[in-house]
Every structure is written in C-alpha cells, then in structure tokens.
Amino acid sequence: LAQETDDMRDRYGRNTFGQSCLVARRLVERGVPYVTINYQGWDTHKQNFQTMRQRLPQMDQGMATLLRDLSERGRLDSTIVWWGGEFGRTPKVMWEAPWNGGRGHWGKVFSSLIAGGGFKGGQIVGSSDAKGEEVNERPVYPVDLIGSIYTQLGIDTTAKLPNPEGL
C-alpha cells in the first residue's frame, strides 16, 4: 500500500475495508486468481443502527472505488466481484434489552452483489415483499449463484469435481 498515492488510498477510504479493497485490486493486477475480503462486524444482534452508521459508508466507498478502479484499469470484465453474506437480518428490529435495536439472523431473504466478469450490469434479480420477510419474486438460491459464477468461469456445472480423495 505504501506504493499507492495518498489520493488513491483516500479514495478507497482510510479504514480496514477500504484499504483491503485497494489490496484486492493490487492482487488482481498481479494475477492472483481469487481474493477474499472478510469485512467482519455485520452480525448486529445489538445496536444495529450505530454499527451500520459506521460500516455502510465504509463499505459503499470501498466497494464503489474498487469497481470504478477495476473498470478504469480494464480489469472489471475479467474479474468477478461477489459481495454477500450467508444470511440476511431480521426485518423487525429487536428494541428490547439486551438487544437495544439489534437484528437477528434471517435466512429467508438476503442480498448479494455480483459485478464484472461478464455479468450484465445494472440488473436486479428477484425481490422481497414490502417488509423484507419473504421472497416475493424470482428466488435465487446459493446453488443458482454459484452455478452462474461457475458458468462465467467456464466450469461445467454438471461435471464431477475431484476432491483430495479422488471422489
């Protein structure tokens, strides 16, 4: 990161997530085929709103700059960016103690973002009901998401993939 200008580092955000996005871009430029950024702290069982006031702007700035930077450098078309988690958050805020405005796990509805790598931009696939409690239209399951990524990578989704035991 010391090889980057202060302006570039500022564009990504001077926080762990922003600088991790910048490192990810640098790794992609050097041919690393798979990069993971783990932005911990989204499990907001308590004080959801205080946490989101800090995390959301950092995530927006880092992710937007990463996508823009990859695009400007001609790397977005060959790089798949996948942002998501393993579940969503409860549609209803738990105001009572000890949660104090927290939100629990909610596996019925959650969001993911896919960009680059040949995926068509600006698309919204599926929707929830008005309260975010149930899938309303076009459910997408993890197997669908992974299948789409495999297809973009040229991996046959019907092929048997070997494991260390050869099975």
Side-chain angles (χ1 to χ4, degrees), residues 75-81 114-121 123 148-149 151-153:
R75 301 235 176 225
L76 188 57
D77 288 342
S78 61
T79 304
I80 295 173
V81 177
I114 303 291
F119 284 96
K120 184 177 180 183
Q123 303 299 303
S148 295
I149 291 171
T151 298
Q152 291 302 106
L153 292 172

Side-chain angles (χ1 to χ4, degrees), residues 81-133:
V81 177
W82 171 15
W83 179 92
E86 70 275 28
F87 47 73
R89 309 305 300 173
T90 53
K92 295 180 183 172
V93 176
M94 301 177 296
W95 290 110
E96 66 280 354
W99 311 115
N100 303 323
R103 296 174 70 194
H105 299 170
W106 193 257
K108 292 183 176 186
V109 178
F110 57 94
S111 300
S112 290
L113 174 143
I114 303 291
F119 284 96
K120 184 177 180 183
Q123 303 299 303
I124 297 173
V125 179
S127 66
S128 69
D129 63 13
K131 294 183 179 181
E133 295 174 329

